[in-house]
Amino acid sequence: MPEKSRLRQALSRWADSADQHQRDLRQSHATPEAVAIADAPEREQVIVSGVLRTVTLRPRGGVPALEAELDDGSGVITVVWLGRRRISGVDPGRSVTVAGCIGRQGGVPIMFNPRYELRP
């Protein structure tokens, strides 16, 4: 029985640390002009800010496309720059602010060719 107790304690600590990480992300990337990804309306110009979790070169329709997952602690959005193989400074772990219209593809929020600003 004590083993289950230790396992539960370990899982609880892990879940608490994951929740804390998400709260820290939301707090550190909140800006007056940025909207939380979870609250961002579709088909309207919005600004969102967060950390790039992944950056991948993934062709779309025969055109090169740089695709990234942006996480702000409230949610994740896929950001796609069509016709780009690489953007200097756009790397996993980098803080970025993007501006554009959000759509949905397969139930996932997505933004194509946004304006972007690399943050320190």
Side-chain angles (χ1 to χ4, degrees), residues 20-31:
Q20 183 61 46
H21 177 70
Q22 293 302 97
R23 285 191 297 273
D24 291 346
L25 265 178
R26 281 193 299 270
Q27 192 172 31
S28 65
H29 289 90
T31 64

Side-chain angles (χ1 to χ4, degrees), residues 25-95:
L25 265 178
R26 281 193 299 270
Q27 192 172 31
S28 65
H29 289 90
T31 64
E33 67 275 356
V35 176
I37 291 171
D39 300 332
E42 291 181 30
R43 300 181 185 207
E44 290 181 26
Q45 286 288 326
V46 295
I47 297 172
V48 294
S49 187
V51 174
L52 296 173
R53 292 194 326 191
T54 62
V55 178
T56 309
L57 177 60
R58 192 168 285 151
R60 289 179 170 261
V63 177
L66 190 64
E67 192 172 294
E69 286 184 338
L70 183 67
D71 185 355
D72 74 347
S74 74
V76 177
I77 185 170
T78 301
V79 181
V80 180
W81 288 277
L82 296 170
R84 304 294 297 263
R85 294 182 188 280
R86 173 114 175 87
I87 298 174
S88 183
V90 173
D91 298 305
R94 184 67 189 252
S95 293

